[in-house]
Amino acid sequence: MKFTLSWLKDHLETDASLNEIVERLTSIGLEVEHVDDKSSLKPFVIARVLTAVQHPDADRLRVLTVDTGDGKAPVQVVCGAPNARAGLIGAFAAPGTYVPGIDVTLTVGKIRGVESHGMMCSERELELSDEHNGIIDLPEDAPVGTSFAAYAHLDDPVIEINLTPNRPDATSVYGIARDLAASGLGRLVGGAIMPHAGSGMCPVKVTIVAPELCPGFALRLVKGVKNGPSPKWLQQRLIAIGLRPISALVDITNYVTFDRGRPLHVFDASKVAGNLTVRRARDGEKVQALDGREYTLTPEMCVIADDNGVESIAGIMGGEHSGCDENTTDVLIESALWDPITTARTGRTLGIITDARYRFERGVDPEFMVPGVELATKLVLDFCGGTPTETEVVGYAGHTPKIVSFPLSEVKRLTGIEVPKAESLDILSRLGFKPEGSGDVVKVAVPSWRPDVDGKADLVEEVMRIHGVDNIAPQPLGAHDAVNAKILTTLQVRTRTAKRALAVRGMMEAVTWSFIPAKHAELFGGGQTALKLANPIAADMSDMRPSLLPGLIAAAQRNADKGIGDVALFEVSGTYEGDGADQQRRVAAGVRRGTAKLDGSGRNWAGNSGPVGVFDAKADAIAALEACGAPVERLQIEAGGPAWYHPGRSGTIKLGPKTVLGTFGEFHPKTLEGLDVSGPLCGFEVFVDAVPEPKAKPTKTKPRLDLSAFQAVKRDFAFVVDKSVEAGTLVRAALAADKKLITAVSVFDIFEGASLGEGKKSIAIEVSIQPVEKTLTDEDFEALAKRIVENVGKQTGGVLRG
């Protein structure tokens, strides 16, 4: 929303400076985005041409001597304007002046061999209009030597504020002045609009067929108008806010739109056939709008039509056929109320953004519908002459104000500001609200121009912004009970540590869409329980993701399509299994493609690395769980996983028989085919929120008493077992042989070959032995080895490999 300072002062009687006004606007919630004080026009001065002679080497140029009024000798200027003559008074720019219309900073130069010390300017060069056929020609009484900007009232600062959607009242200069006056910065003036008596009834009648789309319609005919340029002051105001003056009749509607927030439309009465009807558009109906484009309408849209068809898209833009031009002599002034939702929907569907739509979709003041016609009539009579008829008002039943019950104690409760009761009521009254009652709870009537106010919290906001948020006393942040008190939640801590652990493993973090295609959701467990979007932003983003893996796999394939086939990606984010809070999970997931092993190089000492596989995904999953604080030593790995993994190359990580902490594996060929990607690909998912909370640790550090003074020893064993025996079962059997001496067992080799026999494999383990009471002898080691072999044999059927 843009306006000039002088325009604001038409409605605000104040001695406040520009800086004070700008500061107050921001403090009451009308944030100032930019102030243009027209500093670029300050260097231009009024000057008189003393002589004008023909240029010696150019037929279309003249050499001028110009008196700039500074008491010095006249300056020489070369000019090509056809109206350059002796005695002309215009706007002069000296060397060093920036001319905005041509984006040039002037210097002393030679034009066809003649020096030129500045230039006499046209209106286009000062961005006052598109006129450039001649230099500015001022009246004889224009004061030479003074500022042209001040003389032409172009030194008027332009203020631009950023409006939130809930402030339709501030889409007008009058509404902004009302807020400033309520804040104590001045007195509101210029609000009264005197009605104009009409001569006879309006001959054009209005029928509202769709009252749900148009609650009211006012129409007036003014006969005998002479349409021409609007006054200079009006043109300058419109130009200042970025609008192009067109003609008096059109400029009047634009002026009233910004001055009072009341969009209007003017019809050339001679081009309207019969009476007007407000109705829904017919499917496929077309209209040529004022922007020169043809629009195809639907029954969800509201239009104004006559006997010839659609004349205007209601609340958005008029039709070209009935628009006013220089030949218009009779004009119909229309002021109506339009349904905000229908207006917004129509504008979005047709892709039309206008100042009228901007205001109607937010809600205009219904009580200003008829005064808006009266104001427009006054301006038409002042600028164009004519004789008005009476105003035809159809459908409007009057405004019933909303009544809000307002407990005054809510101001303190919601804002922390202690505002006296009398001040709260006074603020509301200055803003146009009407509080009634004397107790702690008052009834407040909401003014017609504030459709955004619905409840007590809205009234608290009004009191707060006028009273001033600067009055909130600063409060120090509360201190924690201890220096190391917990700040982040457990889930936040786990998210950070999981990201760090996976990044350390050479994986790159990715951020993928929370929405995926329905087909992808079905591949990863969505099915009938998928959380579908009611209004997706695209057809291929219809479902909330039940898993992070589809997005990561697609990202890996996009990299492969661009020649980067070996990628390792991870993401720690949310998945959605339903619309309940308990059906949203925090998951850490990752994928590896090609030869993107842990070292990230695609090589090892024996040559090029092989493709990624199930054990790479398993290692990533265990690392993420360990970073989240899961008891890794107690985890159980079960063969097989969800259907999107390869059944023989996947696993499920559990803590106990019921708690599933994650899954991993190579992806099923059908899954890859459904996603239209190619492998090799493996991945994992770890359920961060499923990891149990760690037990509370003692607050005081205690010395460890279980450290052994004896050196640890490692021994290797290789067992031949059936292929069906899991390595984890063998590891647990070895650990159970002596829980006091054996501290760890790890698998370092698995071998299958014909030399072992049909259906057999060899599992090699490393056993860590830590003596605690004495140094073990050879006999002790042999006894321990015997117990390990016996225990593994009993539980797995394995025999020591020779």
Side-chain angles (χ1 to χ4, degrees), residues 322-399:
S322 58
C324 296
D325 54 32
E326 67 276 4
N327 299 316
T328 299
T329 56
D330 298 339
V331 61
L332 286 167
I333 305 173
E334 168 255 305
S335 175
L337 300 174
W338 306 109
D339 176 57
I341 295 177
T342 302
T343 304
R345 185 190 300 121
T346 301
R348 284 198 301 268
T349 302
L350 299 178
I352 305 176
I353 300 175
T354 62
D355 294 318
R357 173 196 163 186
Y358 181 84
R359 286 156 177 79
F360 278 124
E361 68 185 7
R362 284 161 173 77
V364 300
D365 182 4
E367 290 289 88
F368 201 76
M369 180 182 74
V370 175
V373 173
E374 298 290 352
L375 177 58
T377 301
K378 176 183 182 302
L379 295 173
V380 169
L381 297 181
D382 290 346
F383 302 160
C384 307
T387 304
T389 66
E390 293 292 338
T391 301
E392 174 92 0
V393 180
V394 180
Y396 186 58
H399 174 71

Side-chain angles (χ1 to χ4, degrees), residues 28-268:
I28 62 176
L30 304 177
E31 181 184 0
V32 175
E33 282 198 335
H34 180 67
V35 177
D36 183 2
D37 61 358
K38 295 293 183 181
S39 58
S40 63
L41 297 182
K42 290 181 180 178
F44 296 88
V45 297
I46 298 176
R48 182 191 299 272
V49 179
L50 301 178
T51 63
V53 298
Q54 186 67 40
H55 191 289
D57 292 324
D59 294 339
R60 296 187 179 182
L61 297 179
R62 288 179 174 85
V63 181
L64 315 178
T65 56
V66 178
D67 176 15
T68 62
D70 58 0
K72 299 179 182 179
V75 296
Q76 179 173 279
V77 175
V78 177
C79 180
N83 65 333
R85 67 185 187 278
L88 179 144
I89 299 176
F92 171 74
T97 302
Y98 173 73
V99 183
I102 57 177
D103 192 23
V104 168
T105 299
L106 298 180
T107 59
V108 177
K110 284 188 176 182
I111 302 177
R112 292 288 186 95
V114 178
E115 278 195 352
S116 181
H117 297 259
M119 70 181 297
M120 299 295 290
C121 302
S122 68
E123 290 191 359
R124 189 174 74 171
E125 286 157 349
L126 270 61
E127 294 186 331
L128 303 181
S129 72
D130 292 331
E131 177 60 45
H132 65 286
N133 291 325
I135 56 179
I136 296 172
D137 192 349
L138 299 177
E140 278 292 325
D141 59 353
V144 175
T146 61
S147 168
F148 171 74
Y151 171 80
H153 304 290
L154 298 174
D155 55 348
D156 195 4
V158 178
I159 304 170
E160 181 177 4
I161 63 174
N162 182 21
L163 287 181
T164 53
N166 67 320
R167 291 301 306 277
D169 61 303
T171 59
S172 68
V173 180
Y174 185 81
I176 295 167
R178 179 171 49 217
D179 258 22
L180 287 170
S183 72
L185 202 64
R187 186 173 70 89
L188 187 65
V189 295
I193 298 175
M194 299 302 295
H196 288 73
S199 175
M201 302 300 294
C202 179
V204 179
K205 303 302 178 183
V206 179
T207 303
I208 301 177
V209 178
E212 71 279 7
L213 304 183
C214 178
F217 197 105
L219 188 70
R220 183 177 228 169
L221 175 67
V222 182
K223 295 183 285 188
V225 302
K226 182 175 177 56
N227 192 18
S230 58
K232 201 69 175 179
W233 67 266
L234 178 53
Q235 292 187 37
Q236 289 171 349
R237 285 188 175 177
L238 296 179
I239 290 171
I241 63 174
L243 296 180
R244 181 173 61 90
I246 298 174
S247 66
L249 292 174
V250 177
D251 293 352
I252 287 169
T253 63
N254 287 330
Y255 177 76
V256 175
T257 296
F258 280 84
D259 187 66
R260 294 304 185 99
R262 173 68 254 183
L264 304 170
H265 184 61
V266 288
F267 298 90
D268 187 328

Side-chain angles (χ1 to χ4, degrees), residues 485-502:
K486 187 175 181 180
I487 298 176
L488 301 178
T489 65
T490 300
L491 206 56
Q492 289 173 327
V493 172
R494 288 177 178 174
T495 298
R496 290 186 175 191
T497 55
K499 287 182 178 182
R500 194 168 300 160
L502 294 172

Side-chain angles (χ1 to χ4, degrees), residues 415-450:
T415 69
I417 305 177
E418 191 71 59
V419 182
K421 172 185 174 182
E423 183 180 351
S424 295
L425 297 179
D426 184 49
I427 287 173
L428 292 175
S429 298
R430 297 202 304 265
L431 288 170
F433 296 85
K434 294 180 180 179
E436 295 182 1
S438 57
D440 294 331
V441 180
V442 297
K443 300 292 185 181
V444 178
V446 180
S448 59
W449 59 81
R450 292 304 300 271

Side-chain angles (χ1 to χ4, degrees), residues 719 729-738 742 745 765 767 788 791-792:
F719 294 94
T729 305
L730 192 146
V731 168
R732 289 191 291 272
L735 278 169
D738 194 318
I742 301 175
V745 177
I765 60 174
V767 180
I788 292 173
N791 217 44
V792 170

